[in-house]
Amino acid sequence: MKRLLLGLVATALAVALPLPAYAGGKTPDDLRELSQKLKVYMGSAVDVTALAGEADYRKVLNREFTHVTAENAMKWESVEPQRGVYTWDGADAVVKNAQRNRQNVRGHTLVWHNQLPAWLTAGVADGSIDAKALRKILREHIMTEVGRYRGKIRAWDVVNEIVDDDGNRRQSIWLTNLGPDYIADAFRWAHQADPHAKLYLNDYNLEWNTAKINTTLNIIKDLKAKRVPINGIGFQGHLGIQYDYPGDFPNVMRQFTDLGLEAAITEADVRMVLPVTPEKLATQADYYQRMLSTCVDNGHCVEFTVWGYTDRHSWVPGWFDGEGSACVMDENLAPKPAYKALLSVRRK
Ligand code: XIL
């Protein structure tokens, strides 16, 4: 209710005091034009099945976006489902389509605790892959994947979700078998395989979770002190309107960019408890707009990527019971209020 009232007050003000033309000029026609105007890459996660099979999905993706991330196709289980058997079809398709459509690519992701191939997790569990072998496998994985796309990936999510919500380092197979140095190793190997790619640490809830923020800042300071090649910080940006907007996000992003990193919002979506109402869509639009503004106003944030641009292909309904409608376009690829809200963002 409070939010609704604020919304009404804002609308009333906007009517009384129309923004003068010099504040922003003409509203961009689409996100690609917005991207050029803001000098921030506007990205989307890509569903490879839809990319191959749905002409309308492909058309809108290529019209609207200047950056893409494979939603699943570059994850370890996708590229090496059996030991030593690589399947690059999906990942190649994303990169080729991007090149044809003047889109940069975010590589996602090299070191993660999820979506690992069964041969790897089983081998670690039954002891047939010991710590020494595991380190070799990780090096090989990074060198092979980063090497394959050398020169074609603007930025890699080298490590993903390495701190848990309590602010402890995540107890993954990487930490428990290799110790904390696996992080520095991963960045060094990735840099060796593609010296020009920007190398990122990526995480969720990093917009607001103080314990996670502080541990992550310390990890980055430590890496920098050791001259480990880390270039960027990725905020996933998975929000929900049933929670307050993380109002401290601009300061949090600043704390990271003050360390000399570039920033990106890498997986933005704003989910809601169903059913959808116009009020919820208005709140969602506000959240999207504030996230993009945070990126634009920071000055070191170079990319704003949504985790899927259409509700037709969104991970939210499958992962959050009773929630959905998290994207900026609906199932029919019609723009929602959030899309228009993004188009209205300007540099200060
Ligand atoms: C999700 C995908 O969207 C789903 O299709 C898949 O089943 C699970 O992973 N953080 C990440 C992403 O870094 O890789 C996750 O993507 C969403 C959360």
Side-chain angles (χ1 to χ4, degrees):
M1 193 55 200
K2 192 160 153 229
R3 225 179 242 135
L4 191 61
L5 281 176
L6 281 175
L8 288 174
V9 170
T11 313
L13 277 177
V15 171
L17 302 166
L19 284 174
Y22 61 77
K26 167 185 160 292
T27 299
D29 288 334
D30 55 27
L31 298 178
R32 192 180 275 271
E33 194 184 330
L34 178 73
S35 173
Q36 279 147 6
K37 189 163 187 144
L38 295 179
K39 302 211 174 355
V40 167
Y41 296 115
M42 295 296 296
S44 176
V46 179
D47 178 317
V48 288
T49 312
L51 182 69
E54 295 173 20
D56 59 343
Y57 175 90
R58 192 165 51 238
K59 184 170 156 216
V60 172
L61 176 79
N62 293 335
R63 181 185 72 214
E64 297 286 329
F65 295 98
T66 55
H67 216 283
V68 289
T69 307
E71 184 174 1
N72 290 299
M74 289 192 184
K75 293 171 181 175
W76 203 327
E77 70 172 7
S78 301
V79 299
E80 197 187 2
Q82 289 163 52
R83 193 167 182 175
V85 180
Y86 292 93
T87 48
W88 300 109
D89 294 5
D92 283 356
V94 172
V95 173
K96 274 197 198 117
N97 182 71
Q99 290 184 321
R100 269 191 238 116
N101 292 283
R102 292 170 297 130
Q103 293 162 329
N104 282 278
V105 182
R106 168 169 293 271
H108 177 78
T109 173
L110 298 170
V111 190
W112 196 23
H113 60 285
N114 279 334
Q115 293 182 276
L116 292 169
W119 62 263
L120 178 58
T121 44
V124 171
D126 70 19
S128 61
I129 297 174
D130 64 10
K132 195 165 163 241
L134 185 64
R135 186 163 185 273
K136 199 163 162 255
I137 287 169
L138 181 61
R139 179 175 185 281
E140 193 78 22
H141 169 66
I142 292 173
M143 299 299 287
T144 305
E145 184 157 3
V146 178
R148 180 177 182 87
Y149 298 111
R150 184 184 173 118
K152 297 178 177 168
I153 302 269
R154 189 192 71 79
W156 271 105
D157 291 331
V158 175
V159 294
N160 195 30
E161 306 179 350
I162 58 167
V163 177
D164 71 23
D165 284 295
D166 301 332
N168 299 308
R169 286 171 186 253
R170 187 182 295 280
Q171 294 291 319
S172 63
I173 62 166
W174 310 115
L175 182 68
T176 53
N177 291 281
L178 307 181
D181 283 347
Y182 79 89
I183 300 169
D185 286 339
F187 279 97
R188 290 192 176 114
W189 292 328
H191 183 64
Q192 229 180 301
D194 187 350
H196 296 299
K198 301 283 185 194
L199 304 182
Y200 274 66
L201 181 161
N202 191 47
D203 212 332
Y204 65 91
N205 289 356
L206 200 57
E207 302 81 22
W208 54 269
N209 180 327
T210 313
K212 193 177 244 203
I213 290 162
N214 289 333
T215 303
T216 307
L217 285 168
N218 286 332
I219 290 174
I220 291 165
K221 285 179 195 157
D222 183 54
L223 292 171
K224 289 235 153 212
K226 292 177 177 150
R227 307 213 169 281
V228 173
I230 176 170
N231 310 106
I233 182 71
F235 298 89
Q236 291 185 3
H238 295 294
L239 305 184
I241 60 160
Q242 65 274 36
Y243 312 109
D244 285 340
Y245 183 83
D248 207 34
F249 188 20
N251 298 322
V252 174
M253 188 181 279
R254 173 73 50 208
Q255 281 184 280
F256 283 92
T257 54
D258 279 352
L259 298 179
L261 298 181
E262 64 172 55
I265 296 175
T266 55
E267 304 182 13
D269 55 13
V270 181
R271 59 192 190 269
M272 61 185 67
V273 175
L274 299 173
V276 178
T277 66
E279 289 75 21
K280 288 181 191 172
L281 291 176
T283 305
Q284 176 185 57
D286 176 57
Y287 280 31
Y288 266 107
Q289 186 177 45
R290 286 159 83 175
M291 266 203 277
L292 178 58
S293 297
T294 296
C295 178
V296 171
D297 295 345
N298 175 281
H300 300 278
C301 178
V302 298
E303 173 196 336
F304 179 87
T305 289
V306 294
W307 205 239
Y309 72 85
T310 162
D311 292 330
R312 191 193 292 172
H313 300 292
S314 163
W315 75 307
V316 168
W319 285 83
F320 302 90
D321 227 14
E323 297 179 46
S325 192
C327 301
V328 298
M329 292 187 187
D330 70 13
E331 291 84 353
N332 301 315
L333 314 187
K336 292 157 68 177
Y339 176 87
K340 304 231 167 74
L342 291 180
L343 288 185
S344 74
V345 171
R346 295 289 175 277
R347 274 194 186 276
K348 270 186 190 155

